[in-house]
Amino acid sequence: MVLGLLAMAGLAAYLNIRPEQHWILALTALITAASVEGAVRSHPEWSGSHLGALSYALLPLVAVLGAGLFIDEAVDGYGRMVAGLAAGAATGLLLYAEYHTISPAQRLFGSMRLVLAVVTYLAALALFTVFFTRDLSLPASTAAVGVLSFALALDLLRESRGRGASSVLAALAIGVSLAELRIALYYFPLDDLLTGALMIIGFYVATGLVHHLLDEDLTPSTVAEYLVVSGVSAAVIVVARQFL
């Protein structure tokens, strides 16, 4: 609750104080990340290192940054305050979810991992879109997409069987692949939201396939399912953008 209140105050201040004070958003994200890292290390079942606990702080850090930047770009008027308060309140749930995914034996592990997965994809969509709307140069945008994809993929692959170096290398491969996709989409006349939506589809397919690969249960039928889902999703998004 305390973290949720702090995040609400930080996001509301960032979104409503003019001129913009980016340090407020950065400080709010760092406080959130430090709070999650400390909560993870205080868990009775935690037996990892400080570096391992830091991996739990990546998603909260990115999620707060993504929420603040996306709301700043997409919402106007009084809606900025409401959206900022809602995102800040959700930060408390994010800490709760991280705390209850320390061990697969925990009762809420499955449902909380689902919450974290949803937050991961929403944070990726928000920041992918922001990278495009801020008119970053192609090298800067490509590097940002690659680093973000690596960090979020590392969090998604945390509970896979192939931990350690395997998961790090797999997350790195996902980051490189998404950076290459960003370069490819640069040469198509797409608007920012459509580009962000196509990027998140690519991220979903890449992380899903790699997760099955690390768990050693990747089959041709699974690959076909992901290809069909990605193809249908991309077609629906492209068609919808034509009429909206």
Side-chain angles (χ1 to χ4, degrees):
M1 291 180 64
V2 173
L3 177 59
L5 291 173
L6 288 173
M8 289 169 68
L11 286 172
Y14 169 71
L15 292 168
N16 292 279
I17 292 178
R18 289 293 178 269
E20 286 182 336
Q21 304 293 320
H22 293 293
W23 67 268
I24 296 178
L25 179 61
L27 180 61
T28 303
L30 288 174
I31 290 174
T32 302
S35 300
V36 171
E37 190 269 347
V40 167
R41 286 193 293 106
S42 69
H43 195 284
E45 297 184 31
W46 176 253
S47 59
S49 63
H50 286 280
L51 185 60
L54 284 175
S55 67
Y56 285 79
L58 286 175
L59 178 58
L61 178 72
V62 171
V64 172
L65 290 175
L69 293 173
F70 183 79
I71 294 170
D72 186 44
E73 286 286 342
V75 183
D76 295 318
Y78 293 110
R80 295 166 65 86
M81 176 67 77
V82 175
L85 292 176
T91 305
L93 175 61
L94 184 57
L95 171 58
Y96 184 82
E98 292 279 17
Y99 188 79
H100 285 277
T101 55
I102 302 298
S103 169
Q106 291 182 268
R107 181 172 57 86
L108 297 177
F109 180 84
S111 57
M112 292 299 102
R113 277 307 301 172
L114 178 60
V115 169
L116 293 179
V118 171
V119 172
T120 299
Y121 288 115
L122 289 176
L125 176 60
L127 283 175
F128 284 156
T129 305
V130 168
F131 292 156
F132 306 141
T133 57
R134 291 293 175 101
D135 294 325
L136 298 177
S137 65
L138 181 59
S141 178
T142 300
V145 166
V147 171
L148 173 65
S149 301
F150 167 74
L152 292 180
L154 197 59
D155 186 85
L156 280 174
L157 300 176
R158 193 169 63 211
E159 80 279 8
S160 64
R161 296 176 193 166
R163 297 191 178 194
S166 297
S167 60
V168 173
L169 291 175
L172 181 60
I174 291 172
V176 172
S177 299
L178 267 292
E180 292 174 342
L181 178 60
R182 170 67 188 108
I183 295 174
L185 291 177
Y186 175 78
Y187 297 98
F188 293 87
L190 305 173
D191 63 52
D192 299 327
L193 185 58
L194 178 56
T195 305
L198 293 177
M199 288 293 301
I200 198 63
I201 292 174
F203 182 70
Y204 166 75
V205 172
T207 52
L209 291 177
V210 168
H211 199 294
H212 283 287
L213 182 63
L214 291 176
D215 283 348
E216 300 179 354
D217 60 357
L218 183 63
T219 62
S221 62
T222 302
V223 175
E225 288 175 7
Y226 274 96
L227 292 177
V228 170
V229 170
S230 62
V232 171
S233 300
V236 169
I237 291 172
V238 171
V239 172
R241 289 301 290 168
Q242 295 296 317
F243 297 98
L244 295 178

